[in-house]
Amino acid sequence: MADSQHPLDAERIEKVFLIITAVMLLTFLGALFYSAFGMGMHLPDREEQIDVREVRDTPPFDEPGVRQVGDNEYEVVLLGYAWAFQPREIRVPAGAKVTFIATTTDVIHGVHIEGTRMNFMLIPGQVARVEGTFREPGEHLMICHEYCGAGHHIMYGRVIVE
Amino acid sequence: MSTPVVASPTGFDLPTAQKRAILSMVCLGFGALFIGIINGLGQALNYASVDILQYFPGMRDYYQGLTVHGVVNAIVFTFAFANGFLALTTSRALARPLNATWLWVVFGLMVAGTLLAGYAMATGQASVLYTFYPPLMAHWSFYLGLALLVVSTWVTTALIFIALRSWRKENQGERIPLLAFISAATYLMWTVASVGIAISVVGLLLPWSLGLIESSDPLLSRTLFWYSGHPIVYFWLLPAYVSWYVMVPRHAGGTLFSDSLTRVVFVMFILLSIPTGFHHQYTDPGIGTGMKALHGALTFGVFFPSMVTAFTVLYALEIGGRRRGGTGLANWFLKLDWKNPALVAQVLAMLTFTLGGITGLINASYNLNQAIHNTAWVPGHFHMTVGSAVTMSFMGIAYWLIPYLTGRQLVGRGMAVLQSWIYFAGVLVMARGLISGGIDGMPRRTNMLEAAYSKPSWELAGMLTGLGGTLMFVGGMLFFAVFAATLFFGKKTDEPMDLPLTTTHHPPKTRGWEVKLDRFRYWLVAMLILIAVAYGPFLVQYLPAAFESPPYQFY
Ligand code: HEM
Ligand SMILES: [Cu+2]
Ligand SMILES: [Cu+2]
């Protein structure tokens, strides 16, 4: 009830406020649910584990690089180590389905292909597998975005979409 | 006996010895912040391609400074302030002294922890950043120091709950005074939350750095870190909320809307703070998407108490503004007491927190997180939460707390008000820079000045970061001028002082379901169940851990 000491009908406003809150919450969650399952925008999932001390002898990481694996499908086997990526330069055609299979040989690193949704961590012993498509031709920086020691800021690569 | 409004109605002044211990904690906290802010200036200017870090004595590289910035600001400052402030609020609310010796133990643990971690950081043996992810290894004193800082919060928890238990014995059947309830709720949440970091630091990393264990499991330690690392943000925030709920209404001349709603909010933080840690690991391999989605949905649950807080705070301010003659839709806002530094700092803090909350919602948004994860966006976001909403609130609290603890009047009220505005403007500009840069792919935690890559479009973002950071620095230094002047030169008064405490529009109920809100035991059980649901499946799948990663010291 409003009076001079309490010049607001706060109980009513509170109800409206909480209803708006509930509607917003459901809208946001609905949008997320749709984008993940309707549009297929997934996060990195749990994949296999490997022994970080033997990464370079464990397939497919014994041969880092880009491979065509299907009609319009490519696989990028990517290694991060202090302080570089291998391969440093990745060339893929626009519109192709590209799967990154990546890990680290030493500390934690990160991969962000700037201008895209490709953004994942490289954690010792864990294999990251991320899929995506580069729609337009162009060049993107591939940045190590997790601190990995004194040379962290020199660790990067390039993705060239042809 | 009548039920107290928010704190014991009899009034209570803390014994001098305890005030001294609490004052020491608050000074330690702000001392840490002083160092942190100087480093912050160096980082912000680094993004603007201006190198002042080279003039910092003993500074080896950017990452050494960044480690110091993270540790002293996010751990020492926040812990020291929370330990002192919430020990005080509990004691006042229950009208009982705490154990002065143990308060000094809390202080001593923090000093020892800060010195140990500080030694490792200063000598360049711990440039691992405040997240210290293995297999990057720091000197053992770094881990030991962090452990002691965490233990200091546990001793505070014990002090708070011991006081609460004896109060309950003497006041059976009464509602816990609101101020004591929300203080205790904060420490209950954090104590359960900090177990993850404690296991990782004491059980794995400390012995590892001493050579007792050979290898680490990076994903396990990272998961334990974020088990504590998300709730820690609420441990930073809730002391500010205590002030926003119970003290800001008093500064504003308003009133707290509802006792029950306030308790519900803090209970929700007890329940929802912890089972959400995977939202910091959305982009991690090794964790299933199902569990990530569960943590994401639970994170959105925190939206509810946040909106209740927005409502309650706006209510208190609006009532205050209208009682001061404000009318219309927004004119009441202008009528607030803009000359009261304690109020100005905290109202501006609330404004930045609105933006911090919105950006936080974006971070939490599952796949949307991939657009900004580990970019400069992230520090853009959290300087609007912990870096300003919390920090400015603690500064605002200091404007009455230092006079309360020392019996000296605040020196430089005008400068104190100005300080808040400058810091506020600074954080908005810096966040604008970091956020726009982040959306454009500019990374965080990166020495941009020496980076091997760059993009022309990052230049403006970097410049705004540097400009905003400089303003924040100036605002911060003005705060320290007011702080030190008050501490050393403030005029002594004999007037008895009390904490600024509000009254409540809907007072506590003495019957009905609301009474059960006070049973911390129920919430503890519910909290543990939620944690088991959120982390159990991952652990079952993941364990036994693979301790295979050899240590590296790449710095
Ligand atoms: C003058 C005030 C401040 C300025 C100019 C400033 C500036 C910065 C900048 C530019 C960064 C990003 C560095 C990077 O990612 O490379 C940063 C990181 C950070 N800041 Fe601040 N900051 C200030 C105050 C604060 C305060 C008050 C807090 C908390 C209470 C805080 C907490 C942090 C944390 C936790 C990080 C992350 C460190 C990391 O990534 O390891 N800062 N700060
Ligand atoms: Cu890196
Ligand atoms: Cu979080």
Side-chain angles (χ1 to χ4, degrees), chain A residues 5-6 8 10-11 14 17 35 41 43-46 114 117 119 121 124 143 145-147 149-150 152-153, chain B residues 63 127 261 283-286 288-289 292 315 318 323 366-367 370 373-374 445-446 452 455 506 541 549 554:
Chain A
Q5 272 306 293
H6 293 282
L8 290 173
E11 285 69 15
E14 183 205 15
F17 216 83
S35 71
M41 290 196 239
L43 292 173
D45 207 341
R46 182 169 169 75
E114 150 278 317
R117 209 168 53 76
N119 188 330
M121 306 303 297
I143 299 168
H145 67 13
E146 184 55 87
Y147 172 65
H152 163 58
H153 48 274
Chain B
Y63 304 106
S127 298
L261 209 53
T283 62
D284 281 16
T289 46
K292 288 175 179 171
Y315 172 84
E318 181 164 351
R323 282 181 187 162
Y366 200 64
N367 43 22
Q370 291 172 299
H373 174 72
N374 267 1
R445 303 188 137 175
T446 300
K455 266 176 85 176
H506 292 292
Q541 188 180 41
S549 257
F554 286 149

Side-chain angles (χ1 to χ4, degrees), chain B residues 192-215:
Chain B
V192 177
S194 54
V195 169
I197 271 192
I199 292 177
S200 180
V201 167
V202 178
L204 305 173
L205 302 180
L206 183 58
W208 177 59
S209 65
L210 288 167
L212 303 174
I213 302 180
E214 252 171 57
S215 318

Side-chain angles (χ1 to χ4, degrees), chain B residues 1-12 92-95 174 177 498 501:
Chain B
M1 258 219 255
S2 73
T3 309
V5 184
V6 296
S8 163
T10 51
F12 173 74
R92 169 63 186 88
L94 302 177
E174 287 207 38
D498 196 2
L501 298 174

Side-chain angles (χ1 to χ4, degrees), chain B residues 37 40 43 47 62 69 73 130 382-383 391 444-446 469:
Chain B
I37 280 186
Q43 285 149 217
Y47 270 89
Y62 182 80
H69 184 76
N73 281 337
Y130 84 114
F382 64 64
H383 283 85
T391 302
R444 71 180 285 203
R445 303 188 137 175
T446 300

Side-chain angles (χ1 to χ4, degrees), chain B residues 264-295:
Chain B
V264 168
V265 163
F266 277 77
V267 165
M268 288 192 78
F269 278 111
I270 292 180
L271 298 180
L272 293 179
S273 292
I274 301 175
T276 52
F278 284 161
H279 70 221
H280 290 261
Q281 297 177 277
Y282 279 148
T283 62
D284 281 16
I287 300 171
T289 46
M291 293 321 286
K292 288 175 179 171
L294 174 67
H295 283 224

